[in-house]
């Protein structure tokens, strides 16, 4: 590389310094993400096979009713397995404790939702907001009821007819409710790319965390990943 008269140094293009990289905050461990993925896969399998059993058009399209029934039964039986395996993870157990605690700020969050108040600070939330806590509790209870009623329907010779009839009624209508709630859950996830990124990669952007879960960010300021690598190259 050469210098020209009057120049202060060698000629060459130097890229400007990159902007300050965004810090990423650790949200979910690998174990937590696999629990979520496995549970979601089993839940969707239950919903899909239930639809193939109860919707006439789908039943005709899919056929092989005995196979569909078998897949539905075993997917339901295995549904609690990811949760039970996840209990081996300290991070998963810590998040369960967070989900089980309903604090005063959660009631404030619900009041703001009812009023459609989206002002900054009107919806305080820890790692999980009040809506996520209610959803987690509801879906956990629904899974237990579905498992119990499903077993009563499966082992028909162990219970009286009135029990089986009642179990079928509860199982069918609760399945419909679960389908509606899951559709709402998926819709909200599709509307929040950063939340999906947290479940996919384990990390979220700090501005998103500060906006959506400010109390969690304040409690865990050091729970963050290294800076994103810069792609600028010095060619001088």
């Amino acid at each position: 590389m050469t210098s020209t008269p009057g120049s202060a140094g060698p000629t060459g293009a130097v890229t400007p310094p990159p902007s300050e990289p965004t810090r990423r905050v650790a949200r979910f461990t690998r174990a937590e993400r696999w629990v979520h993925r496995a549970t979601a896969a089993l839940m969707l399998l239950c919903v899909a096979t239930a639809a193939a059993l109860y919707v006439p058009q789908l039943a005709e399209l899919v056929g092989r009713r005995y196979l569909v029934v078998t897949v539905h039964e075993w997917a339901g039986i295995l549904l609690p397995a990811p949760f039970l395996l996840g209990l081996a993870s300290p991070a998963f157990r810590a998040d369960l404790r967070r989900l089980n605690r309903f604090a005063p700020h959660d009631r404030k969050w619900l009041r703001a939702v009812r009023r459609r108040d989206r002002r900054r600070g009107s919806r305080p939330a820890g790692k999980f907001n009040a809506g996520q806590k209610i959803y987690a509790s509801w879906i956990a209870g629904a899974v237990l009821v579905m498992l119990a009623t499903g077993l009563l329907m499966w082992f028909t010779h162990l219970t009286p007819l009135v029990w089986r009839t009642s179990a079928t009624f509860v199982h069918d209508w609760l399945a419909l409710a679960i389908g509606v709630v899951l559709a709402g859950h998926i819709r909200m996830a599709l509307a929040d790319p950063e939340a999906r990124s947290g479940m996919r990669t384990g990390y979220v952007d700090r501005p998103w965390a500060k906006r959506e879960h400010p109390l969690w960010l304040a409690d865990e300021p050091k729970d963050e990943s290294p800076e994103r690598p810069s792609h600028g190259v010095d060619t001088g």
Side-chain angles (χ1 to χ4, degrees):
M1 194 172 294
T2 60
S3 299
T4 57
S7 66
T11 59
V14 179
T15 57
S19 58
E20 184 179 353
T22 302
R23 302 289 293 188
R24 301 276 285 173
V25 183
R27 183 158 176 82
F28 296 114
T29 64
R30 181 176 298 179
E32 291 176 289
R33 300 198 305 275
W34 277 108
V35 169
H36 183 269
R37 291 168 187 169
T39 302
L42 289 169
M43 182 70 76
L44 291 176
L45 187 57
C46 286
V47 171
T49 51
L53 291 172
Y54 287 97
V55 179
Q57 294 82 356
L58 288 177
E60 292 178 6
L61 181 65
V62 175
R64 306 191 68 176
R65 183 177 179 84
Y66 178 78
L67 176 61
V68 175
V69 169
T70 302
V71 172
H72 182 78
E73 291 172 342
W74 282 104
I77 289 292
L78 293 173
L79 196 52
F83 172 86
L84 296 176
L85 293 173
L87 292 176
S89 165
F92 183 71
R93 295 196 302 271
D95 276 353
L96 286 180
R97 289 192 291 270
R98 291 186 178 99
L99 285 167
N100 286 330
R101 292 173 184 161
F102 211 80
H105 64 261
D106 293 312
R107 288 187 283 274
K108 181 178 179 181
W109 189 95
L110 289 174
R111 287 194 297 269
V113 170
R114 285 200 305 271
R115 295 193 301 264
R116 299 179 183 271
D117 184 357
R118 296 184 176 276
R119 291 175 301 172
R120 186 177 181 86
S122 64
R123 300 187 182 187
K127 187 171 185 179
F128 303 102
N129 61 44
Q132 291 168 325
K133 292 178 180 181
I134 292 173
Y135 169 79
S137 299
W138 188 89
I139 204 71
V143 166
L144 292 177
V145 173
M146 292 295 285
L147 183 60
T149 54
L151 289 173
L152 290 175
M153 295 163 61
W154 192 356
F155 298 102
T156 56
H157 61 286
L158 297 179
T159 56
L161 177 61
V162 65
W163 286 24
R164 299 197 302 272
T165 303
S166 301
T168 302
F169 177 83
V170 172
H171 196 88
D172 291 351
W173 283 103
L174 185 55
L176 180 61
I178 288 175
V180 172
V181 172
L182 281 180
H185 180 70
I186 293 171
R187 179 176 175 272
M188 294 183 69
L190 291 175
D192 194 340
E194 194 61 34
R196 296 200 311 275
S197 174
M199 189 53 69
R200 186 178 67 254
T201 68
Y203 292 91
V204 294
D205 283 336
R206 175 173 285 277
W208 178 89
K210 186 176 181 179
R211 182 179 69 252
E212 300 293 336
H213 301 272
L215 301 181
W216 165 58
L217 195 61
D219 289 341
E220 303 185 22
K222 296 180 180 180
D223 195 13
E224 56 189 24
S225 72
E227 297 178 352
R228 288 176 176 171
S230 170
H231 297 288
V233 178
D234 187 352
T235 60

